[in-house]
Amino acid sequence: MNKPVISEEKLLWMYETMVKIRVHEERAAELFAENKVPGFVHLYVGEEAVATGVVANLKKEDFISSTHRGHGHYIAKGGDIKASMAELFGKTTGCCKGKGGSMHIVDLSIGELGANGIVGGGIPHAVGAAMGIKLNGLDDVAVAFFGDGASNQQNFHEGINLAAIWKLPVVFVCENNGYQISLPYSKQQIINSVAERGKSYGIPAVSVDGQDVMAVYEVAKEAIERARNGEGPSLIEAKTYRFRGHFEGDPAIYRTKKELEWWKENKDPIIIFKKLLLEKNILSEDDSALIQKKKEEEIEEAVKFAESSPWPKKEDILKDVFSTSTKGVLVWEW
Amino acid sequence: MNEKKHKVCTTVGIIANPESGKDIRRLVSHASVFDNMEKVNIVERILTTLQAFGIRKVLVMPDTFGIVLRAINVIGKNLKIDIDFLPIETLGNWKDTYEATRQMKDKVSAIIVIGGDGTNRIVAKACGDVPIMPLSTGTNNVFPYMMEATIAAEAVAAIVMGFTSKEEGTYKRKRLEIFQEDKLKDIALIDIAVTMHSYIGAKAIWRSELLKEIVVTQCSPYNIGLSSIAGNIKEIRMDENHGFYLEIGDGEMIKAAIAPGVLKEISIKNFRILNLDEKVKLRNIPSLLALDGERELDINSDVYVKITRDGPKVINYQKTLRIAAQRGFFKN
Ligand SMILES: Cc1ncc(C[n+]2csc(CCOP(=O)(O)OP(=O)(O)O)c2C)c(N)n1
Ligand SMILES: [Mg+2]
């Protein structure tokens, strides 16, 4: 009997990844509330299926560029959570030696081009990476993750236009979670789907349910294969929702409790996927409990690592911050 | 026209699906995005046409994008039609369409449906005997018409204003009924495909390797989609009282356009005519059923399918307008 294109192993990887992201983010929320994490954190709870379903189609050499809400992308791409947790804590063992924080988690060794505090800032990075891939004659792919808000930025329009003209191996993944901070999508764009923008740049575009990891997986698979085969870029809009505020501490008065509850009850990507895996006998309740426990332990280990790591030294404050060497004098004189 | 005096309902319903026209087919086939502003334009044309032919009341499904609302804003004060929105909390999924159809069916004389096969399948579940005018939003549909909305609205007005009677201007379509343990589980309007996909995922079907069986109410060599596999063997018109069943496996090869620009070679093991009300037991279980081209139902136990004449009543716009013209519909 022909069986479909996805192995049980991959399905379980997807489930574990989604749970890992969820546990990580919920723990990060607690740590933020306990004042252990300096700076802003934007959490990915509720959007796990997007990063997971897309990255499930990538290999290590492929690139992703991320956003201010970037922990999920990093974890899905295989980022080391000890390095990211230490970064959140501002410790020297962090992936930016503690000088970047949540919005700068990065690991070039796994093709993670970095989270980005600039809305839409990751888009040109992915396009640039795709250009490099093409010039080097490789069959790798770059994926740019960004939000609905970012799709109003110049970076989006320029990036997508160049990628289309140069037929670059890049996939644009818009995580449309319905809000740009407090501004609902309907007040940002007169269209109802970011996918409608693909047409004006002459590339295929599709809108998909971002809470259904299998739907995201399938759509991303086609787009990524297209890019790999030299057929050029495509745009995916994944309709999703964030279960927490825009940033930790956001009272989120711009949306109703009822709306939030509806999404949590009906569109939790982990619940939806778990139900499918249970039905298909790929996962049991026991397996699921075990995965949950394992992920909690992994995250706890990362937290311990971060807590016990040293702070950066005062004298190193300007080290690794500028691309050209500087004694810092100029900076102080500003 | 004085509604009270005539005691006929001249209200028209409009259901416009904001979600249609953007699925994975844009990526895996050569279908193009059908954007929502184009749907707004369609509704503008419908409203101005209905108004020109004396329709004074329209009942609308509210939608997450506000297709009709935007059309109303564009037309502005020239719009003389009373437009009511059904009191539905929109969810942005098929339930909106189902609920709107259910609430509207006793209050309108015809429903204009703007969407694809999938949208019409949901409308068909709840519209009862109210005539519908299905307008396609995309290139890969069989059930709705690919036509200019102005003409569609004219045909609706001709029926609703009584120039052409429902008996003359509409016909019952066939439908496919799916039974599990003697209970009606779901319906389809054009085709049911049994596929070995193990999950619903992005819904559409663009690979033929996993297909096992297909049942159709109608099919022809000049239509697109899964039903074209059957249609390229034998044409079954919508007025014929039978359908077609075929099994895929070792046998003769047939070429078919299962999606826009996607031609597949499919090997047909056997096929036969399926009479109205004749039950056929599906052979490949467990599997998934694609209804009108979209993966919908995961099945694990025996399933029977039959074709009936209980599909929606659809307006034959050509016949309707031909008759109406003879009766002075276009005269002042
Ligand atoms: C260039 C720039 N402008 C404004 C901001 C402030 N800002 C931070 S997040 C954000 C909203 C981004 O919305 P969206 O792209 O939808 O992503 P989401 O937060 O919903 O994931 C804004 C405006 C910024 N960081 N960068
Ligand atoms: Mg957003």
Side-chain angles (χ1 to χ4, degrees), chain A residues 47 69 147-149 175-181 188 242:
Chain A
E47 305 187 18
R69 201 176 299 291
D148 46 300
E175 301 175 317
N176 186 350
N177 59 10
Y179 291 91
Q180 166 182 265
I181 309 186
Q188 303 168 37
R242 57 173 159 72

Side-chain angles (χ1 to χ4, degrees), chain B residues 149-324:
Chain B
T150 312
I151 307 299
E154 285 181 0
V156 168
I159 294 269
V160 171
M161 302 304 277
F163 283 85
T164 307
S165 72
K166 284 179 191 166
E167 291 67 38
E168 294 166 320
T170 70
Y171 56 97
K172 274 296 243 187
R173 292 283 283 257
K174 286 175 271 190
R175 73 174 195 181
L176 284 152
E177 300 181 355
I178 301 157
F179 289 89
Q180 217 165 13
E181 287 166 4
D182 283 336
K183 274 204 216 94
L184 180 62
K185 190 145 167 80
D186 215 323
I187 63 157
L189 296 175
I190 303 296
D191 51 47
I192 293 175
V194 180
T195 162
M196 302 316 285
H197 279 90
S198 63
Y199 50 88
I200 288 171
K203 291 197 158 199
I205 291 194
W206 63 94
R207 292 213 169 90
S208 54
E209 308 88 77
L210 302 176
L211 290 173
K212 290 290 175 193
E213 295 163 81
I214 295 177
V215 200
V216 303
T217 54
Q218 64 178 76
C219 55
S220 74
Y222 46 84
N223 264 325
I224 199 156
L226 297 177
S227 73
S228 73
I229 300 170
N232 295 352
I233 300 172
K234 182 173 171 55
E235 177 169 2
I236 312 264
R237 293 190 317 268
M238 53 187 139
D239 58 329
E240 288 179 294
N241 275 335
H242 54 255
F244 204 65
Y245 166 86
L246 68 79
E247 222 182 321
I248 290 163
D250 289 341
E252 205 186 344
M253 295 296 262
I254 287 276
K255 201 183 276 180
I258 63 166
V262 180
L263 276 296
K264 293 284 181 189
E265 302 252 357
I266 293 150
S267 172
I268 311 294
K269 191 165 159 194
N270 59 58
F271 56 83
R272 67 186 176 89
I273 294 281
L274 197 62
N275 288 318
L276 228 48
D277 298 317
E278 179 190 342
K279 273 190 176 176
V280 59
K281 185 177 169 191
L282 300 181
R283 302 173 75 102
N284 295 273
I285 290 168
S287 57
L288 268 184
L289 296 191
L291 310 181
D292 294 330
E294 297 201 329
R295 281 170 271 163
E296 287 282 347
L297 284 182
D298 213 335
I299 51 167
N300 296 304
S301 58
D302 284 358
V303 167
Y304 293 86
V305 170
K306 73 175 179 186
I307 298 169
T308 69
R309 234 335 134 193
D310 292 327
K313 212 176 231 181
V314 174
I315 295 175
N316 178 339
Y317 68 94
Q318 290 161 326
K319 189 174 171 201
T320 295
L321 287 175
R322 211 174 285 132
I323 296 172

Side-chain angles (χ1 to χ4, degrees), chain B residues 86-114:
Chain B
L86 288 163
I88 293 171
E89 250 185 272
T90 51
L91 299 168
N93 61 30
W94 65 272
K95 288 178 189 150
D96 295 350
T97 302
Y98 181 79
E99 193 48 32
T101 312
R102 203 183 63 76
Q103 288 191 25
M104 139 181 328
K105 79 164 198 288
D106 297 325
K107 299 181 184 131
V108 299
S109 286
I111 302 174
I112 300 173
V113 182
I114 300 157

Side-chain angles (χ1 to χ4, degrees), chain A residues 179-200:
Chain A
Y179 291 91
Q180 166 182 265
I181 309 186
S182 54
L183 191 69
Y185 178 71
S186 62
K187 295 201 169 134
Q188 303 168 37
Q189 296 179 14
I190 197 154
I191 49 180
N192 97 321
S193 163
V194 176
E196 291 185 9
R197 297 196 160 171
K199 207 170 167 178
S200 44

